[in-house]
């Protein structure tokens, strides 16, 4: 059990490094090659591994949702505040614009699609949402995860009791996502809720992996690894050659975690491709990290990053933006590439700052929300009552 948890933390740590690099290096021409790299699909890993850690009957549905609220949405709010403060400080030399900063904060916290759904962008007079939200963090991941969990907790125990229920439910959830995305393609839906079934399908898959002990075997079957590698190579190569923006309607994250700059040629049909690639790449990625877990000098640093991965992920965007505005790191005129050394320097500075901030914010949140253990006198008084 201990080795499994170490492998998971190592996987989370390596995944957040990959994600940060993708964001820092987005303007390099080599970025177009990322769909060929299975590690480019790490966002699905976070959904699947979260489902893998689910324990049936441990809490009620309400308790489970409240726990995820504290673990996901409260940190999201904190990092939105911090990101807005950083953005405000960086933008002060150019003049303070209350409307810009207020809309940027709301967009970071609730997603721009939500603001558009309730016409809040009209109230602010926004014509270009991005220009009003330079510190926008990728809150899509947190909201997708939270609402995916809400549906997951309602159906997981029932579905996972029987294997056939799982194999029927997952394709139905993916198909429901395709249908909703097609019907609501031109509609601004709060939090892009029509993608909740897809995230729930990832979570259920992770739970089924746990039930089937997919990652518990001491020795990984060679034949199965060969099959997975062949499937991955074929799928990733096809994705790249056809210039498919994997799951292209899924808001620059779950839909573009391949890093590809494709043209979304297949539209919503790409959603099942996203699911298949996400599951296959997660299997490959976790088993690779199981091997890394045997390298002792990598255990502590990568596990530390894994434990703080959410904070690093949420805070990286405002630091990347601030470094570009203040020092011009990674910036270049349109049509030109930034220098590679600037990208590397920008990556390491962002990585260092985000890690430190995530660590101390995490400690603060634990201090606030961890129940205080009762003293001996309080326990005796409770017993006497």
């Amino acid at each position: 059990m201990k080795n499994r948890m170490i492998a998971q933390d190592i996987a989370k740590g390596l995944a957040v490094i990959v994600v940060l690099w993708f964001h820092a290096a987005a303007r390099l021409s080599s970025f177009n090659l990322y769909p060929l790299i299975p590690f480019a699909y790490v966002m699905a890993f976070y959904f699947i591994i979260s489902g893998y850690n689910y324990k049936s009957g441990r809490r009620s549905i309400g308790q489970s949702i409240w726990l995820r609220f504290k673990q996901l949405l409260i940190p999201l709010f904190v990092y939105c505040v911090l990101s807005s403060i950083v953005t405000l400080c960086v933008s002060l030399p150019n003049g303070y614009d209350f409307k810009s900063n207020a809309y940027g904060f709301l967009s970071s916290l609730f997603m721009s699609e939500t603001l558009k759904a309730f016409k809040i962008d009209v109230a602010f007079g926004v014509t270009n949402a991005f220009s009003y939200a330079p510190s926008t963090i990728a809150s899509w991941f947190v909201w997708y995860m939270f609402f995916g969990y809400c549906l997951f907790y309602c159906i997981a125990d029932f579905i996972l009791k029987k294997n056939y229920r799982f194999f029927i439910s997952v394709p139905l959830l993916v198909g429901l996502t395709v249908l909703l995305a097609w019907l609501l393609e031109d509609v601004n839906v709060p939090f892009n809720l029509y993608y909740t079934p897809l995230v729930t399908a990832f979570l259920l898959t992770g739970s089924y992996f746990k039930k089937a002990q997919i990652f518990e075997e001491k020795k990984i079957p060679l034949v199965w690894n060969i099959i997975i590698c062949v499937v991955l190579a074929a799928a990733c190569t096809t994705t790249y050659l056809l210039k498919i923006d994997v799951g292209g309607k899924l808001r620059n994250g779950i839909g573009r975690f391949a890093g590809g700059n494709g043209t979304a040629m297949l539209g919503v049909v790409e959603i099942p491709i996203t699911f298949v690639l996400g599951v296959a790449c997660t299997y490959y990625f976790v088993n690779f990290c199981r091997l890394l877990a045997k390298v002792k000098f990598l255990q502590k640093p990568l596990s530390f990053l894994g434990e703080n991965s959410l904070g690093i992920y949420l805070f990286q965007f405002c630091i990347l933006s601030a470094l570009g505005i203040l020092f011009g790191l990674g910036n270049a005129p349109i049509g030109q590439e930034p220098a590679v050394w600037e990208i590397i320097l920008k990556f390491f500075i962002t990585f260092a700052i985000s890690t430190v901030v995530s660590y101390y914010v995490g400690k603060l949140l634990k201090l606030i929300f961890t129940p205080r253990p009762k003293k001996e006198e309080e326990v005796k008084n409770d017993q006497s009552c």
Side-chain angles (χ1 to χ4, degrees), residues 5-199:
M5 294 304 296
I6 292 175
Q8 282 191 31
D9 286 337
I10 287 176
K12 291 178 182 177
L14 183 58
V16 79
I17 292 175
V18 172
V19 171
L20 201 159
W21 172 253
F22 285 174
H23 290 148
R27 294 192 61 186
L28 295 179
S29 58
S30 58
F31 192 72
N32 292 328
L33 298 176
Y34 289 163
L36 296 174
I37 308 173
F39 283 8
Y41 296 81
V42 294
M43 295 313 296
F45 152 76
Y46 282 107
F47 296 120
I48 292 174
I49 208 65
S50 295
Y52 186 85
N53 291 322
Y54 172 68
K55 293 182 179 180
S56 176
R58 190 174 181 180
R59 301 180 183 88
S60 67
I61 295 175
Q63 290 173 333
S64 298
I65 292 175
W66 171 243
L67 177 64
R68 294 304 170 185
F69 180 90
K70 292 191 294 183
Q71 292 178 339
L72 294 172
L73 299 189
I74 290 177
L76 173 62
F77 175 79
V78 171
Y79 283 105
C80 279
V81 172
L82 291 176
S83 297
S84 294
I85 292 174
V86 171
T87 301
L88 175 61
C89 294
V90 169
S91 61
L92 275 178
N94 298 323
Y96 175 73
D97 184 351
F98 174 80
K99 183 173 69 171
S100 173
N101 283 275
Y103 188 86
F105 174 77
L106 293 176
S107 179
S108 296
L109 182 58
F110 297 112
M111 297 175 54
S112 59
E113 289 85 353
T114 305
L115 303 189
K116 292 176 182 178
F118 293 105
K119 307 297 183 183
I120 296 176
D121 59 327
V122 176
F124 275 83
V126 174
T127 55
N128 182 357
F130 183 78
S131 65
Y132 282 85
S135 68
T136 296
I137 64 179
S139 56
W140 71 267
F141 171 76
V142 176
W143 287 110
Y144 280 24
M145 179 76 85
F146 178 73
F147 286 114
Y149 263 125
C150 290
L151 178 57
F152 171 79
Y153 287 134
C154 293
I155 64 177
D157 289 345
F158 173 77
I159 289 175
L160 294 171
K161 281 183 179 179
K162 302 289 185 180
N163 289 341
Y164 77 88
R165 292 177 184 172
F166 168 78
F167 288 108
I168 292 175
S169 299
V170 167
L172 286 177
L173 288 168
V174 176
L176 178 60
T177 305
V178 172
L179 177 62
L180 292 175
W182 177 62
L183 293 175
L184 302 173
E185 182 176 1
D186 299 321
V187 179
N188 290 309
V189 177
F191 306 107
N192 283 348
L193 285 173
Y194 42 87
Y195 291 110
T196 297
L198 180 62
V199 178

Side-chain angles (χ1 to χ4, degrees), residues 268-307:
V268 295
V269 179
E270 295 173 4
I271 293 174
I273 300 176
T274 298
F275 180 78
V276 172
L277 286 175
V279 173
C281 290
T282 295
Y283 176 86
Y284 176 90
F285 184 67
V286 172
N287 282 322
F288 174 77
C289 291
R290 288 175 65 191
L291 297 176
L292 286 183
K294 298 178 181 180
V295 183
K296 290 187 176 180
F297 74 90
L298 291 176
Q299 288 183 3
K300 286 188 177 180
L302 287 177
S303 295
F304 174 79
L305 294 176
E307 293 169 358

Side-chain angles (χ1 to χ4, degrees), residues 200-239:
T200 303
F202 277 126
L203 292 169
L204 285 171
T205 301
S207 294
Y208 187 80
F209 276 11
K210 173 67 175 179
K211 179 182 177 181
Q213 297 185 327
I214 297 295
F215 299 131
E216 302 292 339
E217 297 180 10
K218 293 183 179 180
K219 187 176 181 180
I220 306 166
L222 177 62
V223 175
W224 180 241
N225 268 337
I226 293 175
I227 293 173
I228 287 291
C229 288
V230 170
V231 170
L232 279 177
C236 293
T237 303
T238 302
T239 298

